[in-house]
Amino acid sequence: MKLVIIYGAEASGKLTVARALAQRTGYRVSHNHLSADLATSVFEFGSPGHSELVVSARALVFQTAAKYGVEGVIFTWAFSYPDFMPHLERIRFALKPYDTQILYVHLFCSDEERRRRVLAQDRKKFGKVNTLEQLEAAARRKRYGAIPDTNSLEIDNTHLDADAAAERIIAHFGLPSCNL
């Protein structure tokens, strides 16, 4: 299995690019908010139980997909270094017994573009950061950038649409394409 982790700051276009990539490759999308929403249904956001369930759910999804031969999964993540490294290590550990390749894509855009995108109406239905205040608060508490121990593909999509970004990911990693 290939696990494509598309990561970057909030409102950098991760889910939009993930959907475009899924459409071209046939890979499945397991975006960040699926596991967060599951955990929030049982625990208060930010509580120890919440964090543990989020991490466990992600690892289990990827591990089960690898075990049963899913060709590819795309995961989106507003990754913060070094805070989220233990979570990434948990995912890597869960996938160790399987023939899995993790591909890293660091997606970013200008702060001005992120401020414009964060106000899009479709962000609300997924419980995403959707106000300028939330965006600024996230930027204050997180450290964005490429994950240090990876050979991440870096894509600035400030002026690049999701389809073009998906094509770059496919070309860079040699992913299968459904040739739409």
Side-chain angles (χ1 to χ4, degrees), residues 118-139:
V118 79
L119 301 175
Q121 288 299 313
D122 66 334
R123 295 184 61 80
K124 290 181 183 178
K125 69 181 169 187
F126 291 110
K128 294 178 161 199
V129 168
N130 59 59
T131 67
L132 293 173
E133 294 79 17
Q134 291 172 329
L135 186 68
E136 290 167 9

Side-chain angles (χ1 to χ4, degrees), residues 97-180:
Y98 304 96
D99 183 22
T100 302
Q101 184 179 12
I102 302 177
L103 310 172
Y104 300 90
V105 179
H106 178 216
L107 195 66
F108 60 95
C109 62
S110 70
D111 289 341
E112 179 182 328
E113 182 64 11
R114 287 179 54 235
R115 285 190 293 274
R116 186 187 71 73
R117 291 177 184 177
V118 79
L119 301 175
Q121 288 299 313
D122 66 334
R123 295 184 61 80
K124 290 181 183 178
K125 69 181 169 187
F126 291 110
K128 294 178 161 199
V129 168
N130 59 59
T131 67
L132 293 173
E133 294 79 17
Q134 291 172 329
L135 186 68
E136 290 167 9
R140 282 192 300 273
R141 73 176 184 277
K142 290 185 172 181
R143 289 187 52 203
Y144 305 114
I147 301 171
D149 67 346
T150 67
N151 187 18
S152 295
L153 171 61
E154 302 263 347
I155 299 178
D156 179 348
N157 71 343
T158 302
H159 304 289
L160 189 68
D161 69 22
D163 294 326
E167 290 300 329
R168 284 191 186 177
I169 295 167
I170 290 168
H172 181 82
F173 292 114
L175 300 179
S177 181
C178 299
N179 295 324
L180 301 176

Side-chain angles (χ1 to χ4, degrees), residues 19-93:
R19 287 183 176 141
L21 182 61
Q23 186 176 26
R24 283 163 177 69
T25 60
Y27 288 5
R28 309 299 287 210
V29 176
S30 181
H31 62 84
N32 177 57
H33 291 276
L34 295 173
S35 54
D37 290 347
L38 170 66
T40 303
S41 72
V42 180
F43 296 101
E44 291 295 318
F45 182 83
S47 70
H50 183 272
S51 180
E52 182 178 335
L53 184 54
V54 167
V55 175
S56 296
R58 289 175 185 162
L60 182 60
V61 166
F62 304 144
Q63 185 179 45
T64 305
K67 179 179 178 179
Y68 288 99
V70 172
E71 184 179 354
V73 175
I74 305 162
F75 175 56
T76 63
W77 200 358
F79 189 90
S80 177
Y81 180 84
D83 313 326
F84 295 172
M85 282 305 292
H87 305 295
L88 179 57
E89 289 306 323
R90 174 95 182 263
I91 291 167
R92 289 172 174 168
F93 181 78

